[in-house]
Amino acid sequence: MDFEALFVTKSSDGQTCISIGRAQSSQLPPGEVVIRVAYSSLNYKDALAARGHPGIVKKFPHVPGIDVAGAVEESGVYEFVPGDPVIVTGYELGAERWGGYAEFVRVPADWVLPLPKGLDFVDAMTLGTAGLTAGLCVDALLSHGISTEKGQIVVSGASGGVGSIAVAILGKLGFDVVAVTGKAHAHELLRELGAGSVVGREAVLADPEKPLLSGRWAGGVDTVGGDMLSSILRATKHSGCVAACGLAGGAHLRMTVYPFILRGVTLAGIDAAWQPLAKKAAIWERFAGPWRIEKLDRLRTMVPLKDLPMWFDRILNGEVMGRIVVEVGGSRVPLKR
């Protein structure tokens, strides 16, 4: 069979090119499960892959897309049969191997999760890796004993995919959330999602020369890194916890160890790609149950695969609010329960 896919290629002079073309099933990497893709999503990592980032793309041509929701087309294992609705996020999908910006993907069976009842394909990809990351961040805070009565939770980069979903989960759980964003037009939506207050970056960023700041936060979810993460950590109360998952603001921290050894602050690093499948499944089940986000549709913008290339620069430049859901097979892929 041949099918549509978005290709990233590199010319002999090192220039990358993005195009929509036809692929053959023989080009798919090895694996036990072939999935007919209904929807994927756009993540920062996908945009880097589309630009041929050497830390992500190992060989060309490449098909990005680190998220997939669709129906099993072929299966070599008893756990899945054709027609089963499934999701795949992370691992090597869209990075070391071809990803979800194609009508079909082939993956190892131990990367595949059944789509939880209560979620459809579009909702699953509105969440995607961003939602999983946000869920893991919130889980880290809860596991550390951070509760609603301990004080405010700060969420940086709150208008982005991870940040906005983290705000929605924390708000649903009853936390007093301070959402941090540089986008004035995002304030209303963030309050709708559950933020108690919305502030600009300048309200959180502080002089990096100060080893400690007044304790403001019981915990935090940082999607930015750099000076933002440093400022949050230095202003976290005793025994607080900050879950960190991003580096758009920088990969280095200008700070001392004082927050950690004088206040007992915990920095929890969050990686969604290589989490054990059972951990991913637990977070997904929460999204279909106690963490279900009622206004999930307010977070998404639907984009057909053919229009996706224009969005890569937008997400790299921080111009995207919420989540981009990529229509691949769309409604042509039936959701069977």
Side-chain angles (χ1 to χ4, degrees), residues 59 119 121 148 259 276 291:
K59 60 183 179 180
L119 293 178
F121 291 144
T148 56
W291 289 2

Side-chain angles (χ1 to χ4, degrees), residues 15-175:
Q15 297 298 309
T16 56
C17 176
I18 301 167
S19 62
I20 307 291
R22 306 298 294 181
Q24 302 292 321
S25 57
S26 59
Q27 295 176 273
L28 292 173
E32 298 80 31
V33 181
V34 176
I35 300 169
R36 182 185 290 268
V37 179
Y39 298 92
S40 183
S41 73
L42 174 60
N43 301 275
Y44 195 84
K45 188 174 182 179
D46 296 317
L48 292 177
R51 295 291 173 255
H53 193 290
I56 299 172
V57 182
K58 305 305 180 186
K59 60 183 179 180
F60 297 90
H62 180 68
V63 176
I66 63 173
D67 293 335
V68 160
V72 173
E73 182 76 7
E74 299 174 9
S75 174
V77 296
Y78 70 88
E79 292 92 345
F80 300 103
V81 300
D84 282 351
V86 294
I87 49 177
V88 182
T89 60
Y91 302 115
E92 294 178 354
L93 187 71
E96 287 85 352
R97 65 159 64 205
W98 282 19
Y101 297 163
E103 291 181 292
F104 291 92
V105 297
R106 184 188 287 130
V107 296
D110 57 5
W111 292 5
V112 184
L113 281 171
L115 179 70
K117 292 181 179 179
L119 293 178
D120 60 22
F121 291 144
V122 174
D123 283 347
M125 289 297 92
T126 306
L127 295 165
T129 288
L132 180 63
T133 303
L136 290 166
C137 288
V138 174
D139 181 70
L141 300 186
L142 298 176
S143 298
H144 193 75
I146 306 301
S147 57
T148 56
E149 64 269 14
K150 292 193 174 180
Q152 293 182 317
I153 306 295
V154 62
V155 178
S156 68
S159 62
V162 177
S164 58
I165 296 171
V167 167
I169 301 169
L170 290 163
K172 189 177 184 72
L173 295 178
F175 284 94

Side-chain angles (χ1 to χ4, degrees), residues 171-202:
K172 189 177 184 72
L173 295 178
F175 284 94
D176 182 3
V177 181
V178 177
V180 184
T181 180
K183 299 181 175 71
H185 62 276
H187 287 210
E188 181 180 352
L189 175 59
L190 289 169
R191 290 192 178 92
E192 284 183 34
L193 291 174
S197 57
V198 185
V199 299
R201 303 184 189 102
E202 67 284 351

